[in-house]
Amino acid sequence: MEMINLTIDHKPVVVRKGATVLEAASGIGIDIPTLCYMKLEDMNIENKPGGCRVCVVEVKGRRNLAPACCTEASEGMEISTHSIRVVNARRTVVELILSDHPADCLICAKSGNCDLQDMANHLGIRKIHYQGEHSMYREDTSPAIIREINKCIMCRRCETMCNDVQTIGVLSAVNRGFQAVVSPAFEMNLDHSVCTYCGQCVAVCPTGALTEVDETGAVIRALSDPTKTVIVQTAPAVRAALGEEFGMTAGTLVTGKMVAALRRLGFDYVFDTDFAADLTILEEGTELLNRLSAFMAGDQQVKLPILTSCCPAWVKFFEHHFPELKDIPSTARSPQQMFGSIAKTYFADKIKVKRENLVVVSIMPCLAKKYESSRPEFSVNGNPDVDYALTTRELAHLINLGNIDFKSLQNEDFDAPMGESTGAGVIFGTTGGVIEAAVRTAYEIFTGKQLPRLDFEELRGMEGLRKATIDFNGTPINIGIAHGLGNARKLLEEIQAGTSEFHAIEIMSCPGGCIGGGGQPYHHGDSEILKKRQRAIYSEDQNKSIRKSHENPYITKLYEEFLGAPLSEKSHHLLHTKYFDRS
Amino acid sequence: MTISYQLKRADFIFKNQNDWEEVLSKSISRTPQELINELISSELKGRGGAGFPTGLKWKLTAEISDSTKYVICNADEGEPGTFKDREILSMVPFKVLTGMAVCGYVIGAKEGYIYLRGEYFFLLPELNKIIREFEYYCKEIKFDFTIRIFMGSGAYICGEETALFESMEGKRGEPRNKPPYPSNYGYMGKPTVINNVETLAHTYTIFKYGAKRFYDLGVQYSRGSKLFSVSGDTPKPGIYELELGMSLADFVEEFGDGDTKAVQVGGASGFLVPRKRFNETAIGFQGKLVGISLPTGGSMMLFNSSRSMFNVLDNYLEFFREESCGQCTPCRVGCQQLLKGIKAVKRGEKNTKYLDKLLRLTETMKLTAKCGLGQSVANSFSSIVENFREEMIY
C-alpha cells in the first residue's frame, strides 16, 4: 500500500494513499468538527458532499480553505485544523446556518440529539451576527414521517440514504439558491410519493427536519381512559437499544427493565412481539414447506423463492417497484399485525373485553410500522388491529415523562399468554434472524429430525448481501439475505430475470435489520453501535431455554384453542394478507 | 501608476473560417507533443474568465492513460453581460469544431460535446447541420471524432465545469469538490478537457498561423487577443476583439459616453472599477507587470453617473441568490444575507457598520465556498461597497 506523509497541526502523519484529511487527522486524535459528513463504515455508506463547510482546514499554499472530509491527503501537505482563520470561518459558517434556522430548540423533537445544536455549543456561538430571512416551507405530514423543512440544512444525508442505500429516489434537492431544499419531486407530499417509510432519512437527519409522527400523546390519553384496556407489545430490536436512551452502553439488553417500565406506565398487559414472531415462523415456515414440497413434486407453477414479509417498508417497496412479483412474498402478516389481530380476537375474548375497548400499542424500532398499522386491510369496521405504533425513542420519552428511574428498575417478566417467546422470535431483530428462525422450524418439520445445531453462523453478519446453503437432510436449500433496499433490489432483479438460485430470501429494509431501524436511538453515524445491538440480540437468543418457534408452548396452545393449524382458514383470515399494485 | 498600453484592435476570431479542412488535416498530421508545445508557447489562457493555461490543460489530460476521454466545449455562456460565444458559434462555428477535434487528437478522445446554453436553443438546428458536415469530413480523412450537442436548461451554475459534467450526466447541476480536476476525473469520471468556446476558436488561430503570431499580441502574462462584450452606458455596445493588457482608461476613452463613473469588469462575478482607478487598471490576467490586472470572460459593463451603484449591487446579489446551486452553506445563505443586509442598511434598519460585517462575511465566503460562484460574490460586493459606500447608505 502506498503511503503519504503530511503534517497536521505540526504533527507528522503517515496515511494510506487515498485517505482524506479528516481520516488522517482522526488517526492521530485530532478532531475536526463535521456536520454534513456521515460514514457508516461496515455498511459502506458514506455521505460527503462537502456542503456544510464546517470541516474546513487551512492547507499551506492553498488560496482558500479546504473541506477536510473530501480533500484527499497528499504528500507534504501542511495542515492547520484550528488556526484563527479556520475557527473564524467555521464559526461564521455555523452562524449562517443558524441564521436560516427556526431555532425552536425548546420544543423541537430533536433537541438534545441535534448535531446542529451540538455544533453551535461546541463552537460557543452566542450571537448570530447576520440577520437575513428564514426560508419558509410548509410542513409535510405522512402516516410515519414529518418533514419540517425549515430546519433542513442541506446536509444531504437523507438523500444518500434514500437514493444510494435504499434506491428509492424520493428525496433529493429541489430548487436553486436560497430556495434549495431536500424534498420529494415537485415538492409533493411524502404520502404521494413512493416513500417506503423505512425511516433511514430520519435516522440520519442531523436536525429536526425529519422526525417521526409522535403518538405519545394519544397513548397517554388511552392510558388515562378508565374504559379502555391498554395492552402493549415490544419488538425484539427495542430491548437491545432502549438502554442507550438512558445512558447505558450500546448493546445492553434491557428486556426486564423495559417490561417493568411499561407496567409502571400503566399498561394493563405487557406482551412480547416475539410471541407473534414465533407465530409468524409457523405460518411462514409452513408456507415455505408447502411451496418447496410442491416444487419437488414437479409443480412448475409454484412461486419460488419465497420472500419474507415482516418488514412493512419492504412490502411497500415491492408494491411500488416490483408489483409483478407481488405473488412471491409470503402472505404472512408481520409479527406486529399478527399480534394485533390475535389480541383483538383471541385475547379480547379471553379477558372478555370488547374490541373497541381494547387498545393495542406496539413499541417498534421502526417508522414504517406506524404506516403499516394504518393500512385499511388491518382494521375491522374502522377499528385498527394495532392502534398506536411507538418508536423506541418515543417509549424513552414516555419513560422519562413518567419519572421512572429506568436504570434502577428490577427486571420483570412479560405477561402470559402472549409474552412467552423463544430465541427464534428474538433474532427477528437483526438481519438474517428471520430466516434463521424459519430454518430452525422448517428443518425439523421437513425432515422430522432434531436439528444437530441451532446457531447458523453462515446466515449471520453485516454484509449487505449474504447467501448460504443449508442441508435439509440431503436436500440443499439455498438461502439469500439482503438488508438495505438497494441490496434487496439486486435480488429482485435476479428473480425478475429468472436467474435467482434461491429457495427462500429474507429482506429487511434497514441496514442491519430492525436493530438499525428508523425508530431506534440515533446512532449518529457510529456503526459500531449497530454491531453491539446485534450481539445483544444473539446473546438473548442464547440465553433462552426454548429456541425454536414450534416449541413455544403458548403457540401450541393458541393453535389448539383457537386457530387449528398453520394455514387453516382462520389463520388465513387473521394472520395472512394480500398485496397491492402501487406502481 | 499609469499604464502606457494603447488599446489595440485585433481581427482573428471572426476572420475567414473557410480553410478549416486544411487547418484540421494539417494539425492532425503533426504529433500531439508538437501541438501541445505550440499551445504552451502561445501562452493562451482560458477565455472563460479563469485563465488557466490551455496548453497545460491539454497536456495534463493527454498524460493520463485511459481509453475513454472527452472534449467538451463550454457554451453555457451565462455571465451577465457576456454575449460573445453566441456570436462565435453563429459566425465561425467551424473554428470551434476544429479546435475540439484537434484537442481530441492531442489527448486521445473520440467524443466531443458542446454544452449549449438553454437560451441558445435557436442556434441548435444550424449547429447540428454544421456538425454533420464536419463529421462527414472527419470520416473522409479517416479521423475518428464525433460531436454532440447537449442542451443546458438555464442554470448559471452549470457553466462551472464540474456542475456542467453533473448536468450532462443527468444529475442536478451542482459543482463537485476539487480536486480531482477534470483532467483526471471529468465527464462520466473520465479524463476530460473542457474549454470555453472562445478558447477553442483561438486554438484555431494558433494552429493556423503558429504560436508566435498569437504571442506577439498582448502583454507579458496576458498574451493574445480577446473578445469583449461591451454593454451598458456606451454609444457603441457590441463585441470587439482587442489585445489584452490595455488600460481601462484607454478602454473607457474608446467606449465610454464621456460620463463613465465605473466599469464592471468580468460580469456579476467580476470587479467594479471606479473612475479614479481607470488609469491604474489593466485588463488581463494577474501578473506582476502593473498595478491591478483584472481578468475577464469578456463582460465589460459601463455605468455613467445616472446609475445608482446600490441598484447595481442589489441586482447582482438578487442574481446570485437565485443562481447559487444551494448546496454549500456560505453561498446559499451568504448571498441572501448580503442582499437582505444592504437593503436593511439602505432603509436605515441597520447602522452603517453592518456593511463592514457584510464585508467580513464576503471574506469568509471567499475562503469557504465550494466553487467559483460563491467565492467570487466577494469580488463585486467588496469592490462596489468599498468604492461607493455612500451610495449604499444614502
Side-chain angles (χ1 to χ4, degrees):
Chain A
M1 193 171 11
E2 201 181 329
M3 301 306 272
I4 298 281
N5 294 284
L6 65 159
T7 62
I8 301 179
D9 295 343
H10 307 295
K11 292 186 193 121
V13 198
V14 185
V15 288
R16 66 176 167 80
K17 188 175 162 55
T20 63
V21 171
L22 183 70
E23 288 162 344
S26 81
I28 52 164
I30 294 174
D31 245 353
I32 300 173
T34 59
L35 194 51
C36 66
Y37 177 75
M38 173 184 74
K39 186 170 190 179
L40 289 169
E41 202 99 35
D42 299 289
M43 275 139 222
N44 240 339
I45 298 171
E46 197 170 27
N47 178 63
K48 48 173 187 181
C52 73
R53 316 308 277 185
V54 168
C55 69
V56 287
V57 294
E58 207 163 340
V59 182
K60 196 172 174 191
R62 182 169 158 151
R63 184 173 44 88
N64 55 358
L65 303 179
C69 72
C70 48
T71 301
E72 207 177 298
S74 60
E75 189 62 37
M77 249 183 179
E78 287 176 46
I79 287 164
S80 314
T81 63
H82 287 79
S83 66
I84 294 295
R85 194 157 161 246
V86 167
V87 170
N88 273 338
R90 206 173 272 157
R91 281 174 59 108
T92 306
V93 165
V94 174
E95 272 184 48
L96 284 177
I97 298 175
L98 293 176
S99 78
D100 180 25
H101 193 81
D104 57 357
C105 300
L106 287 175
I107 50 164
C108 179
K110 213 50 180 289
S111 189
N113 258 318
C114 173
D115 293 352
L116 180 59
Q117 197 178 41
D118 288 351
M119 184 59 63
N121 262 327
H122 174 75
L123 296 178
I125 290 171
R126 297 289 170 261
K127 192 177 175 202
I128 298 163
H129 290 90
Y130 306 102
Q131 285 136 34
E133 64 184 323
H134 290 295
S135 35
M136 299 296 272
Y137 303 94
R138 76 196 150 74
E139 198 176 295
D140 172 18
T141 307
S142 68
I145 297 172
I146 301 177
R147 292 170 56 240
E148 251 184 275
I149 305 308
N150 294 346
K151 295 177 182 169
C152 174
I153 59 168
M154 286 291 280
C155 72
R156 319 289 280 276
R157 289 186 194 175
C158 54
E159 222 180 304
T160 297
M161 296 312 279
C162 195
N163 298 318
D164 300 350
V165 179
Q166 304 292 55
T167 64
I168 305 296
V170 165
L171 293 176
S172 66
V174 299
N175 299 339
R176 270 184 284 174
F178 189 57
Q179 306 301 324
V181 75
V182 175
S183 158
F186 309 113
E187 296 188 72
M188 281 192 313
N189 286 347
L190 263 192
D191 56 359
H192 290 143
S193 73
V194 298
C195 173
T196 64
Y197 303 120
C198 72
Q200 283 305 307
C201 54
V202 175
V204 299
C205 180
T207 71
L210 292 162
T211 51
E212 70 262 41
V213 171
D214 190 318
E215 290 177 294
T216 49
V219 171
I220 292 170
R221 277 194 296 282
L223 285 170
S224 56
D225 184 342
T227 65
K228 304 280 188 200
T229 302
V230 188
I231 69 170
V232 63
Q233 56 165 325
T234 60
V238 175
R239 65 206 63 184
L242 180 64
E244 293 163 33
E245 290 280 335
F246 302 97
M248 300 161 90
T249 39
T252 313
L253 271 174
V254 293
T255 320
K257 290 185 196 302
M258 174 180 71
V259 174
L262 287 165
R263 275 207 189 97
R264 302 277 180 296
L265 284 169
F267 288 99
D268 298 303
Y269 294 88
V270 181
F271 289 137
D272 201 352
T273 313
D274 296 14
F275 168 83
D278 283 336
L279 189 56
T280 305
I281 287 302
L282 284 181
E283 294 293 330
E284 202 170 287
T286 312
E287 210 183 341
L288 165 68
L289 288 177
N290 284 356
R291 287 203 211 173
L292 269 182
S293 314
F295 177 71
M296 283 167 191
D299 183 351
Q300 296 300 313
Q301 299 301 309
V302 69
K303 306 274 188 195
L304 278 177
I306 188 168
L307 310 176
T308 59
S309 57
C310 16
C311 173
W314 145 238
V315 167
K316 195 162 185 275
F317 173 78
F318 74 70
E319 286 181 331
H320 282 295
H321 297 278
F322 295 88
E324 66 280 14
L325 298 182
K326 71 180 166 48
D327 297 333
I328 293 186
S330 160
T331 57
R333 294 185 190 179
S334 72
Q336 163 175 275
Q337 293 309 134
M338 284 201 181
F339 180 95
S341 139
I342 293 296
K344 288 209 170 172
T345 53
Y346 172 72
F347 181 69
D349 280 352
K350 239 186 161 102
I351 59 166
K352 301 194 168 40
V353 172
K354 276 203 263 176
R355 179 184 179 97
E356 304 79 65
N357 290 332
L358 185 71
V359 176
V360 176
V361 176
S362 56
I363 312 295
M364 294 285 145
C366 180
L367 297 189
K369 289 285 175 192
K370 288 175 184 284
Y371 155 77
E372 184 187 40
S373 66
S374 75
R375 284 175 73 128
E377 64 267 30
F378 297 140
S379 67
V380 174
N381 300 330
N383 179 280
D385 291 345
V386 173
D387 295 81
Y388 307 110
L390 302 187
T391 61
T392 312
R393 295 188 295 262
E394 285 174 274
L395 174 60
H397 288 161
L398 275 182
I399 293 172
N400 283 328
L401 203 60
N403 195 26
I404 295 165
D405 182 3
F406 188 78
K407 275 190 189 168
S408 63
L409 284 172
Q410 293 297 310
N411 289 347
E412 292 181 18
D413 283 333
F414 287 107
D415 290 310
M418 295 161 75
E420 183 63 51
S421 68
T422 70
V426 174
I427 54 175
F428 264 59
T430 170
T431 167
V434 175
I435 208 75
E436 182 171 339
V439 165
R440 289 181 191 173
T441 291
Y443 180 92
E444 298 205 345
I445 297 177
F446 185 78
T447 62
K449 289 184 184 163
Q450 275 264 312
L451 263 178
R453 57 177 178 139
L454 284 178
D455 295 309
F456 288 88
E457 291 297 338
E458 60 267 49
L459 298 172
R460 301 179 180 183
M462 271 290 182
E463 303 80 52
L465 277 173
R466 305 195 293 283
K467 56 181 177 182
T469 303
I470 309 284
D471 178 18
F472 270 38
N473 207 20
T475 310
I477 302 295
N478 296 332
I479 287 172
I481 296 167
H483 56 125
L485 290 170
N487 294 321
R489 183 183 289 276
K490 290 179 200 151
L491 292 186
L492 288 179
E493 280 166 353
E494 280 180 16
I495 296 174
Q496 246 177 352
T499 58
S500 184
E501 49 175 332
F502 299 114
H503 298 107
I505 296 177
E506 177 203 290
I507 292 176
M508 291 292 158
S509 296
C510 294
C514 305
I515 48 168
Q520 293 282 58
Y522 298 110
H523 53 62
H524 296 282
D526 182 357
S527 50
E528 215 32 60
I529 291 180
L530 298 187
K531 284 201 274 187
K532 285 179 182 159
R533 290 177 189 165
Q534 191 179 45
R535 282 200 286 275
I537 292 271
Y538 283 123
S539 80
E540 172 123 324
D541 170 36
Q542 288 282 350
N543 295 333
K544 286 270 189 182
S545 50
I546 310 175
R547 295 179 64 196
K548 291 176 265 187
S549 295
H550 55 289
E551 290 177 0
N552 184 334
Y554 286 92
I555 294 284
T556 315
K557 201 167 153 212
L558 175 68
Y559 276 110
E560 276 167 11
E561 284 181 6
F562 186 63
L563 291 169
L567 302 184
S568 69
E569 200 190 323
K570 204 160 200 173
S571 293
H572 262 297
H573 178 59
L574 292 173
L575 306 180
H576 289 260
T577 185
K578 59 176 188 239
Y579 306 113
F580 303 91
D581 181 348
R582 293 180 201 274
S583 59
Chain B
M1 195 195 298
T2 309
I3 300 159
S4 53
Y5 300 100
Q6 297 287 309
L7 182 122
K8 290 181 199 148
R9 300 222 180 190
D11 184 17
F12 287 99
I13 294 271
F14 293 116
K15 221 161 71 184
N16 156 34
Q17 57 167 355
N18 295 332
D19 48 1
W20 64 270
E21 293 169 337
E22 191 195 326
V23 173
L24 177 60
S25 50
K26 203 180 80 192
S27 299
I28 61 173
S29 67
R30 303 168 72 186
T31 67
Q33 196 52 50
E34 275 174 41
L35 294 165
I36 287 176
N37 289 344
E38 189 86 58
L39 267 189
I40 289 177
S41 55
S42 75
E43 289 188 18
L44 169 64
K45 291 179 178 177
R47 293 308 198 228
F52 190 82
T54 309
L56 182 58
K57 192 182 258 187
W58 290 22
K59 181 167 179 263
L60 290 173
T61 317
E63 281 166 358
I64 309 280
S65 68
D66 199 318
S67 56
T68 312
K69 295 183 187 179
Y70 297 101
V71 180
I72 293 175
C73 166
N74 186 347
D76 191 48
E77 186 176 39
E79 190 64 50
T82 323
F83 36 86
K84 62 184 176 68
D85 294 345
R86 180 183 64 191
E87 236 14 55
I88 297 175
L89 285 175
S90 41
M91 308 282 282
V92 287
F94 278 112
K95 290 195 174 181
V96 180
L97 302 187
T98 306
M100 288 174 73
V102 174
C103 175
Y105 168 71
V106 168
I107 66 165
K110 294 185 168 35
E111 285 173 67
Y113 287 90
I114 298 176
Y115 189 97
L116 190 61
R117 183 183 181 195
E119 288 85 342
Y120 290 175
F121 188 71
F122 64 93
L123 289 174
L124 191 63
E126 188 60 27
L127 270 180
N128 271 328
K129 221 166 76 194
I130 286 163
I131 288 172
R132 273 200 298 279
E133 192 184 329
F134 184 79
E135 285 179 341
Y136 184 80
Y137 177 73
C138 288
K139 226 176 247 165
E140 220 166 54
I141 61 167
K142 304 213 161 30
F143 175 62
D144 184 8
F145 194 74
T146 57
I147 295 175
R148 298 277 169 278
I149 295 182
F150 187 97
M151 286 306 299
S153 303
Y156 170 72
I157 191 63
C158 288
E160 199 280 342
E161 53 193 20
T162 56
L164 185 147
F165 299 147
E166 292 283 304
S167 163
M168 282 180 65
E169 290 171 14
K171 300 183 207 141
R172 181 177 158 86
E174 289 177 331
R176 299 173 183 166
N177 287 301
K178 284 196 268 190
Y181 294 100
S183 53
N184 281 304
Y185 190 92
Y187 175 52
M188 299 306 247
K190 295 292 177 187
T192 304
V193 162
I194 175 163
N195 278 140
N196 177 260
V197 174
E198 187 188 341
T199 313
L200 289 164
H202 280 300
T203 64
Y204 185 93
T205 310
I206 293 162
F207 294 138
K208 181 174 170 183
Y209 299 109
K212 188 167 185 314
R213 187 86 175 260
F214 185 85
Y215 182 87
D216 284 346
L217 307 177
V219 298
Q220 198 185 352
Y221 305 120
S222 300
R223 295 291 172 186
S225 60
K226 158 118 201 63
L227 289 187
F228 289 89
S229 312
V230 181
S231 65
D233 296 315
T234 167
K236 36 184 174 183
I239 297 166
Y240 299 89
E241 186 172 346
L242 306 170
E243 284 186 39
L244 283 175
M246 68 200 159
S247 85
L248 196 53
D250 287 342
F251 176 86
V252 171
E253 179 70 29
E254 175 73 19
F255 294 102
D257 61 359
D259 183 27
T260 305
K261 163 163 113 175
V263 179
Q264 178 79 17
V265 181
S269 62
F271 293 84
L272 183 98
V273 185
R275 183 186 292 149
K276 63 181 178 217
R277 300 208 186 279
F278 286 170
N279 267 325
E280 57 194 76
T281 305
I283 304 303
F285 301 104
Q286 300 292 352
K288 294 173 197 107
L289 207 58
V290 286
I292 311 160
S293 312
L294 290 182
T296 168
S299 167
M300 303 292 278
M301 278 184 271
L302 294 93
F303 299 108
N304 67 18
S305 60
S306 71
R307 306 291 166 188
S308 149
M309 285 300 130
F310 175 84
N311 287 347
V312 170
L313 180 58
D314 181 83
N315 193 350
Y316 290 162
L317 290 174
E318 193 78 61
F319 174 79
F320 284 128
R321 182 185 187 274
E322 293 268 308
E323 293 293 344
S324 158
C325 76
Q327 80 172 311
C328 81
T329 312
C331 182
R332 178 183 70 247
V333 189
C335 292
Q336 175 266 143
Q337 289 284 4
L338 295 175
L339 177 66
K340 292 287 150 183
I342 61 161
K343 283 188 199 286
V345 170
K346 188 78 171 177
R347 285 198 292 263
E349 294 160 9
K350 290 261 177 210
N351 67 27
T352 58
K353 284 200 181 118
Y354 194 59
L355 286 175
D356 301 318
K357 254 184 202 169
L358 295 179
L359 281 170
R360 282 202 294 278
L361 174 58
T362 61
E363 278 311 303
T364 304
M365 289 170 70
K366 208 179 203 164
L367 282 178
T368 58
K370 185 167 177 176
C371 78
L373 192 159
Q375 292 162 14
S376 62
V377 175
N379 299 349
S380 51
F381 188 90
S382 54
S383 58
I384 293 177
V385 168
E386 275 161 11
N387 288 308
F388 295 94
R389 196 179 170 98
E390 71 288 350
E391 289 193 36
M392 300 300 119
I393 299 164
Y394 304 107

